[in-house]
Amino acid sequence: LAKTTQPISMDSYEGQEVNITCSHNNIATNDYITWYQQFPSQGPRFIIQGYKTKVTNEVASLFIPADRKSSTLSLPRVSLSDTAVYYCLVGGLTGGGNKLTFGTGTQLKVEL
Amino acid sequence: GAGVSQSPRYKVTKRGQDVALRCDPISGHVSLYWYRQALGQGPEFLTYFNYEAQQDKSGLPNDRFSAERPEGSISTLTIQRTEQRDSAMYRCASSSTGGDGYTFGSGTRLTVV
C-alpha cells in the first residue's frame, strides 16, 4: 500500500480556507485517494474520495494533479467545529473490501 | 441498524483474562473491519471480513487475537490472556460495495490492569 506523508499539524482561523496537502509518491494505478476526519473520542468519518482531477461535495473539495503523486484537501471557510485530525489514505476503492492504512494524520486547529 | 454499534463501550479487565469485543455493522454492509487506535495515533488495521470470510488478518499482533463473523453480520474480536499492552481503543467499521467509505463505530476502550 502506498505510504502517505502529510503535515503533522496546521493552524487556521475561522472563515479561512484550509488546504491540507498529502504526498503519495508510490500510488498505484488502481489506488484511490480518500480523506477522513476524526474528532476526539469519535471514530474517523469519511469526507471525500477521488481518483483524479477534482472532486467536490458539500463538505470539501479534493484536488488531484495529473501525476497523482499528491492531493490537496480543501476546506472552505472553516469554523471552530472543523478542529479535528484529518487523514489522507490511498488504497483500493472503499467498499471493495479493501483495507485502508491510516497514518498519523494532520491535526487542524481552528481558532477565533 | 442506523450505525455501527460496538459493545461494551468500556471494558476494564485484569491481566490474563480473556475479553470479547462485539461489533454490529450497518445492516447490509458486506465488509467489516477491525482497527486498534492508541492515543495520538491513527487507527491500526487488525483484520477484515467480506461476508463471513476473513479476508486479511495480517494486522493481528499475535495469536492471542482472533476474530470471527460467523453469519456475515455481527463480529467478535477476542483477545486471550490479555496484557497491559493490549490497552487501546478498538474500532470496528463497515462498508457497502458502493465505494462510499467506511462507517466507524464509537469504539470499545479496553483497559488491562
Side-chain angles (χ1 to χ4, degrees):
Chain A
L1 294 177
K3 181 179 178 180
T4 61
T5 303
Q6 53 185 122
I8 293 175
S9 64
M10 294 182 69
D11 294 327
S12 185
Y13 295 95
E14 274 203 318
Q16 291 193 331
E17 178 183 80
V18 171
N19 296 307
I20 306 174
T21 297
C22 177
S23 297
H24 28 80
N25 292 317
N26 298 321
I27 190 168
T29 302
N30 58 350
D31 281 341
Y32 284 75
I33 300 155
T34 312
W35 286 80
Y36 282 77
Q37 174 192 56
Q38 185 174 24
F39 298 113
S41 302
Q42 295 185 24
R45 182 176 75 103
F46 173 87
I47 301 176
I48 198 166
Q49 181 171 258
Y51 184 80
K52 62 180 180 180
T53 63
K54 177 183 175 181
V55 180
T56 297
N57 61 23
E58 65 277 6
V59 176
S61 294
L62 178 60
F63 298 92
I64 306 167
D67 66 5
R68 305 199 326 122
K69 293 184 182 299
S70 66
S71 59
T72 299
L73 175 72
S74 181
L75 305 172
R77 297 180 298 282
V78 295
S79 64
L80 293 175
S81 63
D82 292 316
T83 293
V85 178
Y86 292 82
Y87 296 97
C88 165
L89 301 88
V90 293
L93 180 65
T94 307
N98 296 294
K99 74 180 186 186
L100 293 177
T101 301
F102 290 79
T104 53
T106 296
Q107 173 66 65
L108 172 65
K109 182 179 179 182
V110 181
E111 300 175 293
L112 288 172
Chain B
V4 178
S5 178
Q6 291 187 247
S7 61
R9 187 71 191 272
Y10 301 94
K11 176 69 177 179
V12 180
T13 190
K14 292 184 178 180
R15 272 182 301 174
Q17 296 294 307
D18 298 349
V19 295
L21 311 181
R22 172 185 165 123
C23 173
D24 193 350
I26 291 175
S27 179
H29 274 193
V30 169
S31 302
L32 183 148
Y33 313 81
W34 283 100
Y35 282 81
R36 177 170 71 174
Q37 188 169 22
L39 199 61
Q41 300 294 316
E44 172 193 11
F45 172 80
L46 295 178
T47 185
Y48 86 92
F49 295 82
N50 282 342
Y51 300 101
E52 72 281 1
Q54 191 169 20
Q55 298 293 321
D56 186 335
K57 56 181 181 179
S58 62
L60 296 177
N62 50 60
D63 60 8
R64 295 187 295 106
F65 288 72
S66 63
E68 62 175 8
R69 193 187 185 198
E71 298 179 0
S73 179
I74 293 170
S75 176
T76 302
L77 177 70
T78 301
I79 308 172
Q80 296 178 310
R81 306 180 300 281
T82 52
E83 301 176 5
Q84 280 192 318
R85 59 177 172 159
D86 300 333
S87 297
M89 175 70 81
Y90 288 82
R91 299 196 183 276
C92 174
S94 68
S95 69
S96 67
T97 57
D100 54 358
Y102 293 10
T103 300
F104 279 85
S106 298
T108 294
R109 168 71 67 186
L110 175 65
T111 302
V112 182
V113 297

